[in-house]
Structures are given as structure tokens and as C-alpha cells.
Amino acid sequence: MLTYAPLFPVILLTLVALVAMLMSALVRDASRTGVFSAVGLLFVMALSLQQWGTQQGPANILGNAVTVDGYSYFFYVLFCLIGIVTVFIAMPHLEREQAQRGEFYTLMLFSLVGMFVMVSSDDLMTLFLGFETMSLAIYVLVGWRRHQLRSNEGVLKYFFLGSLAAAIFLYGIALIYGSAGTVNLQSVAALLTAPGSALGVNGVFTVGVLLVLVGVGFKIAAVPFHMWTPDVYEGAPAPVTAFMATAVKAAGFALGIRLIAFLFEHQQLHDIAHIILFYGAILTMFVGNFFALAQKNFKRMLAYSGIAHTGYLLVGMLALPEAGAGTAVLYYLVAYALTNLGALAVAAFISGREEKFDNLEDFSGMAWRYPLAGICMAVCMFSLIGFPLTAGFFGKYMLFAAAFKANLAPLVVIAIVNSILSVYYYLRVVVVMFVEPVAENAAAPETMPLATKAVLAYTVAAVVWSGVGTFNVTPFFPGLVPLRAKAEASMKALTAIPQARVSTGTVEGKSSAPLQANAPLIH
């Protein structure tokens, strides 16, 4: 039993999801299922933190198909945090929409189970199971308002394009297996570095790796795989949009970093990855920012904004293994998650019944009617800009500094130019809420639910404290210094796995050369 102890967070989360499923069928008051889900995620988060603090090294389980390490625990905690906040956003929102059903929380929990499996998988088939578990639940959540046309349009686009991306991803796995004879990431990495190995220049293997990355590109909304994002963000209920913009994006980048760490152990693959990420980052930043400038719908604006932020994160991934690049990517994901949760919590409240009032003009003067909402939106927009003393500022600073040290100065300049472009559409939201008069057709309720107040207060404090704090107040309020230290330790755990697992010189009975402990992820 102790051998499988590192899997206890995943097992506990699965049990919570199963109990929530039973509650959704047996308990009339669906809000109780939401409360149970939040409490269950709190226990999973506490267990993950406890195991993370006592872990001695990476745990290889289930025939080396799963590795639970500091990298896994970092995302376990982040996913639980996002899940808890999403529950608090969803409960009053679903009550207002008369769509409060326990299945909502059950689906969210099962999508989190898929994310847990994804970030811990060292086997491409296990990884695919987690990938699809997450995706199938998200498809249903996007179409939760099944009687609304734009919701149906969003879910159909997301389902068909997502299914295509999954098929491409699976076909890439098949090509990797056909050329390497294994789908274990550690084994593939060892074969790539074996003396005399031709796997790195094998065309079938190269195509397989690229197809796998297409699936990842779809999940993180990188250009040219971003087309679904605006319609899905707009059509999905605001709590689902918040969950997708944060947890799904974080899971996609966690998966991408793990794949890059083990599938690019050859010079030719390094060069291909460098070209793809370099031009992909530039296109993603410009497409996201230019289209965001023209948006009048708040959620569509955040969708294109999210595409631009994907570009910034790709800059950080391109800088790997420069010291601090991986740390910056992980820190940025936390900062981005906190910021978007706060902004979309405000949108969920202000937009009114059926979210009919989610255009920017509908937010006019709302900062004076609801001061907490105005403060939260302002802090979140300043963080997305990268304004000093917010988490977003330090995230961008660390990303761009790491890229500059990695001799990517031209890309850093382009990223800074794009950040300047984003100032217009982010500040426009603040100006509308604080300067313009209240819209005549404003439909926001007179009183703000307690759960919404809790989310807004939390995200404001967390965005600021994770930017300036030097210590942890609680696990829910990580300061800049300890959060950065945790991110750095997590990346070290990931890059140390090849040495710990493959340095014996054998993979599945075949002789292979040992991987270097600090082998570059991308040159």
C-alpha cells in the first residue's frame, strides 16, 4: 500500500468525484454538492501539500507509467485551488440561472482527475487517458446552458475541433510507438541519446512528435490552433470560462513542458522545436493582442487576451533550460490563474441573467455601484498588463529576463511591444467601470452574494500578495518569494527525473547512454 501512497491525492480526488456524482442523484439541494466538492478539494490540496513536504524523491509507479514528483504536486495544488475558487464562482451564478445541478460539480471534479493524471504521466497512453478525461468533462460544461444558441455553437465548435486535435494527438503517439518501440517518455529520451541511435533523425518519429505537439497547441490556444477560443469563451457560462482559462491552460502547459523535457533529446529535434516555438510565439502574441483590441464583448476580449498570454508563455518555454525560465513559466501560470478567476468572477456577477449584459458598455459605472467589483477588476487588469506590485508584473519580468539571458533579445522586444499594445484594451475596462456613467439597461442585482464577495476579496489579496509577499500567509496566499522557490524546486524535480531513472544505462533491456542531469530541454 505504501508503494502507491503518492497516488493518494489522485485516488482521493476520484473518490470525491464519485461521491459528488451520487449526491447529484440523491440530494435535491445541488448547492450541497458544491459545498462538498469545495471541501473535498480542500482535503486533496492538504494531502498534496503534506506529501510534497515529506517527499524524498520522484515516485515511479505502475510500471513507470506514472511519476509523482515535486512538479506533479505543484500542479495538484494549483488545480485544487482553481477548483475551489470556481465552485464559489459557480454556486451563486448557477442559482441565478436556475441551472444549479450537482452534475456541474461532478464534471468539474472529473476534469480535475484527468488533469492530475496528465501532469503525472510518463507514458503517452496514460497521458492520453488523462487528456481525454479532462476534455470530455469540459465539453459538457461548455454546453451547460443547452437552451442558448451561442452556448450550443460554442460547444459544437469545441467538441469537433477538440476531437480532431485528440485524433491528431493519438496518431502522433502511434507514430512514436511505431518508430521507437515504446510510448514511455523516459525510454524514448534514453533511446534518443543512445550512441549511434538514429531515432532523432527518423522522419516518422519526428512527425509523431510534431503531431503530439499539435494536440498540446490546441489546449493552450496557440496560433494557428486558437480558432475555437473566442466562441467557446463567450458561449460557456462564466464559471466554466474561468475554469477553462485557468486550469485547462495550466494543464496544457504542464503537459507541454513534460513532453519537451523528454522528446527533444536530439539536436535535430531541438532545432525544429526552436523554429516552431519562436515563430509560434510571435504569431500568437500579435494575433491575440490585435484581435483583442477590436472586441466589445468582455469574454471574447479575455479569450484573445489569453491567446496573447499563451505567446508570452511560449517565450518562456523557448528560453528553457536557462536558469529561471521554467520557474518563470510556473509562476506566471499561477499569477495568470488568480487574475483571470477574479476578472471572470466580476463578469459572472455583472452580466446578469443569462449573461445578456457582458459587453464592455454594460460594465459602465459599475465600480461605483459595487466598489469591491471595481477594485477587483482594476487589480486584475493591471496584473494582466504587468503593472508593478502585482503578480503579473513579476511573472512577465521573470519570463522576459530568462529569455534575454537565453539570447532571445529580439523576441523579448517583440513581447514588450505586445505588452504595450495590451494596455489599451485592459485599461479600457477600468475606464468604463470607473469613469463612464452607469448604463441605463444595467441588470446587475442590488446585492452581491457572499460567495462572490469572498472570491473577489481573495483574488485581490492573492494577486497583490503573490507579487510582493516574502512569506506564505497560508497555502491560499503564497508570497512571491516562497511561490518562486516552490516553482524552482518543481522544475528541478522534473529535469532530475531522466538522471534518476535512466542513468543506469538500460531501457527495457536495451543498452543506452545515460542522460545528463541538466540536459537542455531546448537549445
Side-chain angles (χ1 to χ4, degrees), residues 151-173:
S151 183
N152 292 333
E153 178 186 358
V155 70
L156 284 174
K157 288 182 178 179
Y158 192 41
F159 175 72
F160 286 122
L161 290 175
S163 299
L164 176 62
I168 293 172
F169 188 91
L170 191 59
Y171 189 60
I173 293 175

Side-chain angles (χ1 to χ4, degrees), residues 316 319-330 398-399 402 405 484 488 491:
L320 293 168
E322 173 61 43
T327 302
V329 171
L330 267 57
M398 287 190 282
L399 275 179
K405 291 178 182 178
R484 182 174 179 177
E488 184 177 5
M491 283 303 301

Side-chain angles (χ1 to χ4, degrees), residues 10-78:
V10 183
I11 295 171
L12 178 59
L13 179 59
T14 305
L15 291 175
V16 170
L18 291 172
V19 173
M21 183 170 62
L22 290 175
M23 289 182 66
S24 65
L26 302 176
V27 178
R28 287 189 175 183
D29 187 359
S31 62
R32 294 185 179 181
T33 307
V35 173
F36 171 79
S37 301
V39 173
L41 286 171
L42 184 61
F43 276 99
V44 176
M45 182 178 177
L47 178 60
S48 300
L49 287 168
Q50 186 273 329
Q51 290 192 343
W52 192 4
T54 58
Q55 186 190 41
Q56 300 299 317
N60 309 319
I61 311 168
L62 303 177
N64 292 338
V66 173
T67 296
V68 181
D69 52 16
Y71 184 79
S72 304
Y73 285 123
F74 182 92
F75 284 99
Y76 287 179
V77 174
L78 177 58

Side-chain angles (χ1 to χ4, degrees), residues 102-123:
E103 291 88 346
F104 181 94
Y105 307 103
T106 303
L107 289 165
M108 187 194 73
L109 291 170
F110 276 115
S111 70
L112 287 172
V113 171
M115 295 177 196
F116 273 44
V117 174
M118 278 175 59
V119 300
S120 302
S121 296
D122 267 349
D123 186 282

Side-chain angles (χ1 to χ4, degrees), residues 131-494:
F131 186 91
E132 283 302 286
T133 301
M134 175 190 74
S135 300
L136 291 173
I138 295 295
Y139 294 150
V140 182
L141 289 175
V142 169
W144 192 251
R145 297 180 303 194
R146 59 184 182 276
H147 300 299
Q148 290 192 14
L149 180 61
R150 62 178 180 175
S151 183
N152 292 333
E153 178 186 358
V155 70
L156 284 174
K157 288 182 178 179
Y158 192 41
F159 175 72
F160 286 122
L161 290 175
S163 299
L164 176 62
I168 293 172
F169 188 91
L170 191 59
Y171 189 60
I173 293 175
L175 293 181
I176 291 173
Y177 178 75
S179 54
T182 178
V183 289
N184 185 275
L185 292 175
Q186 300 295 336
S187 301
V188 172
L191 291 172
L192 284 170
T193 56
S197 173
L199 183 61
V201 294
N202 186 307
V204 174
F205 179 81
T206 302
V207 172
V209 171
L210 294 179
L211 291 181
V212 166
L213 292 183
V214 167
V216 178
F218 177 86
K219 287 302 176 188
I220 64 176
V223 175
F225 313 110
H226 67 290
M227 294 81 70
W228 58 273
T229 314
D231 292 324
V232 173
Y233 275 40
E234 182 184 9
V240 178
T241 303
F243 187 70
M244 291 180 61
T246 54
V248 175
K249 185 179 288 287
F253 273 100
L255 170 59
I257 292 173
R258 186 176 285 275
L259 289 175
I260 288 175
F262 300 111
L263 294 183
F264 291 90
E265 294 290 338
H266 188 275
Q267 185 62 49
Q268 177 173 308
L269 293 175
H270 276 89
D271 295 340
I272 293 173
H274 186 280
I275 294 172
I276 292 174
L277 289 180
F278 187 89
Y279 292 104
I282 294 173
L283 286 173
T284 302
M285 286 186 287
F286 275 116
V287 168
N289 281 313
F290 273 121
F291 279 93
L293 290 170
Q295 299 307 312
K296 296 181 179 180
N297 181 279
F298 180 74
K299 288 201 292 183
R300 290 185 73 89
M301 185 272 284
L302 276 189
Y304 283 110
S305 160
I307 294 170
H309 283 274
T310 293
Y312 304 143
L313 286 161
L314 290 177
V315 172
M317 292 180 68
L318 190 60
L320 293 168
E322 173 61 43
T327 302
V329 171
L330 267 57
Y331 175 87
Y332 198 98
L333 288 172
V334 176
Y336 182 78
L338 293 171
T339 301
N340 275 267
L341 287 171
L344 284 162
V346 174
F349 170 69
I350 291 179
S351 58
R353 183 73 186 274
E354 296 182 356
E355 299 184 32
K356 292 180 179 179
F357 302 94
D358 59 355
N359 288 329
L360 292 179
E361 61 185 22
D362 299 319
F363 292 12
S364 299
M366 286 298 174
W368 303 109
R369 180 179 291 186
Y370 307 104
L372 181 57
I375 293 171
C376 181
M377 184 65 82
V379 169
C380 291
M381 293 299 104
F382 283 129
S383 181
L384 288 171
I385 290 171
F387 197 79
L389 303 183
T390 63
F393 167 77
F394 289 99
K396 284 188 177 180
Y397 173 78
M398 287 190 282
L399 275 179
F400 298 163
F404 186 81
K405 291 178 182 178
N407 298 318
L408 295 171
L411 195 59
V412 173
V413 172
I414 293 172
I416 293 174
V417 169
N418 274 273
S419 293
I420 295 172
L421 286 174
S422 71
V423 171
Y424 171 75
Y425 60 82
Y426 287 134
L427 282 186
R428 183 173 57 177
V429 180
V430 179
V431 169
V432 166
M433 292 190 70
F434 279 88
V435 177
E436 296 187 8
V438 178
E440 294 182 359
N441 61 345
E446 292 298 323
T447 59
M448 181 180 290
L450 180 60
T452 302
K453 290 180 180 179
V455 170
L456 300 189
Y458 166 71
T459 50
V460 168
V463 167
V464 174
W465 187 248
S466 58
V468 299
T470 57
F471 60 91
N472 282 345
V473 178
T474 70
F476 289 92
F477 289 96
L480 168 63
V481 177
L483 179 56
R484 182 174 179 177
K486 285 291 188 182
E488 184 177 5
S490 301
M491 283 303 301
K492 286 182 178 179
L494 176 66

